[in-house]
Amino acid sequence: MAESMQERDDVLTCSICMERFRKPVMLTCQHSFCRECIALYAEKSKPVQTDETSGSTGNEDVHQLIACPVCRSPTSLGRKGVAGLPPNFQLAEVVQRFSSGVTVEDDAPYCSLCEEGNHVKAVKFCTNCGVFYCEECLAICHPMRGPLKRHQLISPLEYLSQETSQGQVNRDHQSTQQPSCARHGQPFGLYCEPCRMVICMGCVVEHQGHAMRDIPSAAENEKPGVLSRTNELEKVLGETKESLSGVLRLHSKIQENQELHTEEVEKAYCAALEALQAWRQHSLDGIRTRYSQWSVECSAILKHLQLQAQEMERMVQASNDLLASMDVEFLQGSTDFTKTYV
């Protein structure tokens, strides 16, 4: 117990001032220090230029690089300096909890599987399942045998004491990457082989008697089948691509022939149109010539007939006038009429 208390104090102690953290901030390497301590440390460190500012013209901001006091990894302070470093709120919360006199055991989380209204303090936390267990639920739902034998169980004290920067980053990464059961809200931790589905610890009761595996070994067991299917699909894909290339070549040839035949039809059409236009012009010229000649001849005949009609009209008028005259005048004029019109 004394060793655990010592480990807890080490976790909550700044490695610069060797006291409990005050307003802890994180460096790029995820190590945390008091804001005031890292500010003093940065003032004593020699400022250097980053790669982004090397070769600057003098107008750019020069960002100071500091080496982590623990692992010596570089961290760029940026334009805001130490004020721009992200605070470690989780670590600050744990420090405040211990400073207020509340022990981890008193503030331990409840079992995640106990029914509502019957909450029991957890005694173990599974880092693989992400679930807190009381003694009863641990024995029923998480026996350390079979696929669960590989899971890591830690105490709530260890879980809450691991509120360091790196531990929090790992848990955040796990919570964002690992899917959870929609029914129970717990991360998937097992694979039911008969049902061929991943399940959480809350689903174990529904799958009692089924052969189960932990997810990593189940994934390794399923990979050969998926790999074989992938190879088959790649083979089919290759054949499909080859067929696709053939169809593309055929399609290109069809378009080429279409353009060629279209051009031939256009040429034939233009030639036929030109010949038709020539025949039309020749026919129209012949019609105009013939009908012009016939029109001239018809006009001459018409004029001749008009003159004859006029002369006949004069003869008829003279005859009528002679007939209407007195007998003496008629006899005198008939001789001249006969001579003129007979």
Side-chain angles (χ1 to χ4, degrees):
M1 183 63 181
E3 184 178 355
S4 298
M5 294 292 292
Q6 180 63 39
E7 292 177 355
R8 181 193 66 189
D9 291 339
D10 291 342
V11 170
L12 303 180
T13 299
C14 173
S15 58
I16 296 179
C17 65
M18 302 307 294
E19 296 180 0
R20 285 192 176 178
F21 287 104
R22 301 181 304 277
K23 297 181 180 180
V25 294
M26 291 187 293
L27 301 184
T28 305
C29 59
Q30 305 301 319
H31 284 118
S32 296
F33 305 93
C34 299
R35 183 183 297 276
E36 182 180 355
C37 294
I38 202 66
L40 294 174
Y41 176 80
E43 290 180 1
K44 297 179 181 180
S45 301
K46 181 179 179 181
V48 296
Q49 292 182 343
T50 64
D51 294 339
E52 297 177 354
T53 60
S54 60
S56 62
T57 60
N59 297 326
E60 301 87 348
D61 295 332
V62 177
H63 299 171
Q64 180 183 358
L65 284 178
I66 61 173
C68 173
V70 175
C71 65
R72 310 306 297 171
S73 298
T75 295
S76 175
L77 295 183
R79 296 174 180 173
K80 295 183 179 180
V82 174
L85 293 175
N88 192 334
F89 294 112
Q90 292 81 9
L91 181 57
E93 181 180 354
V94 175
V95 172
Q96 184 179 5
R97 183 187 300 124
F98 279 103
S99 299
S100 61
V102 179
T103 64
V104 177
E105 290 79 359
D106 294 336
D107 201 30
Y110 289 101
C111 175
S112 303
L113 302 183
C114 287
E115 297 293 336
E116 185 175 356
N118 188 31
H119 289 306
V120 179
K121 292 287 185 178
V123 296
K124 291 294 181 180
F125 175 79
C126 179
T127 59
N128 300 86
C129 301
V131 177
F132 288 99
Y133 296 95
C134 65
E135 292 183 359
E136 183 178 358
C137 292
L138 181 66
I140 297 174
C141 301
H142 203 293
M144 293 303 290
R145 61 177 181 270
L148 299 178
K149 189 175 181 179
R150 302 180 183 179
H151 288 201
Q152 182 183 9
L153 297 176
I154 61 176
S155 67
L157 171 64
E158 292 177 284
Y159 174 79
L160 294 178
S161 298
Q162 288 178 357
E163 293 290 339
T164 59
S165 306
Q166 188 61 47
Q168 183 63 32
V169 169
N170 290 339
R171 286 194 295 276
D172 290 344
H173 178 74
Q174 181 179 6
S175 64
T176 56
Q177 295 297 324
Q178 184 175 0
S180 300
C181 176
R183 294 179 56 191
H184 303 97
Q186 301 177 15
F188 293 117
L190 295 173
Y191 178 77
C192 179
E193 293 185 334
C195 300
R196 297 187 64 82
M197 60 183 297
V198 290
I199 61 175
C200 70
M201 296 309 300
C203 302
V204 171
V205 177
E206 302 174 7
H207 296 262
Q208 287 184 357
H210 293 189
M212 299 183 188
R213 285 192 176 191
D214 61 283
I215 289 180
S217 64
E220 289 297 325
N221 185 63
E222 293 292 329
K223 284 181 180 179
V226 175
L227 179 60
S228 176
R229 180 57 178 164
T230 302
N231 294 334
E232 294 177 2
L233 291 175
E234 289 179 348
K235 181 179 179 181
V236 175
L237 176 61
E239 296 173 353
T240 303
K241 286 184 176 181
E242 185 177 353
S243 299
L244 177 61
S245 299
V247 173
L248 288 175
R249 290 193 297 270
L250 177 60
H251 184 258
S252 177
K253 190 64 176 179
I254 289 174
Q255 290 182 324
E256 181 181 348
N257 290 339
Q258 178 185 358
E259 294 175 358
L260 177 62
H261 293 161
T262 301
E263 184 179 356
E264 291 177 353
V265 170
E266 289 291 341
K267 288 182 179 179
Y269 168 77
C270 292
L273 183 61
E274 183 178 355
L276 184 61
Q277 289 176 340
W279 172 83
R280 174 179 176 272
Q281 189 64 40
H282 176 73
S283 299
L284 292 177
D285 292 344
I287 291 173
R288 292 192 187 97
T289 300
R290 289 193 300 273
Y291 281 90
S292 295
Q293 182 179 356
W294 293 343
S295 179
V296 171
E297 293 176 355
C298 184
S299 297
I301 296 173
L302 179 62
K303 187 175 183 180
H304 176 70
L305 292 176
Q306 286 176 344
L307 292 175
Q308 282 186 344
Q310 291 175 0
E311 183 64 24
M312 293 299 293
E313 287 178 354
R314 286 196 298 271
M315 289 175 62
V316 170
Q317 185 64 40
S319 177
N320 288 332
D321 291 343
L322 181 61
L323 291 172
S325 64
M326 301 297 290
D327 291 340
V328 176
E329 294 175 356
F330 173 74
L331 292 174
Q332 289 177 346
S334 62
T335 301
D336 295 333
F337 179 82
T338 303
K339 292 180 179 180
T340 302
Y341 295 105
V342 174

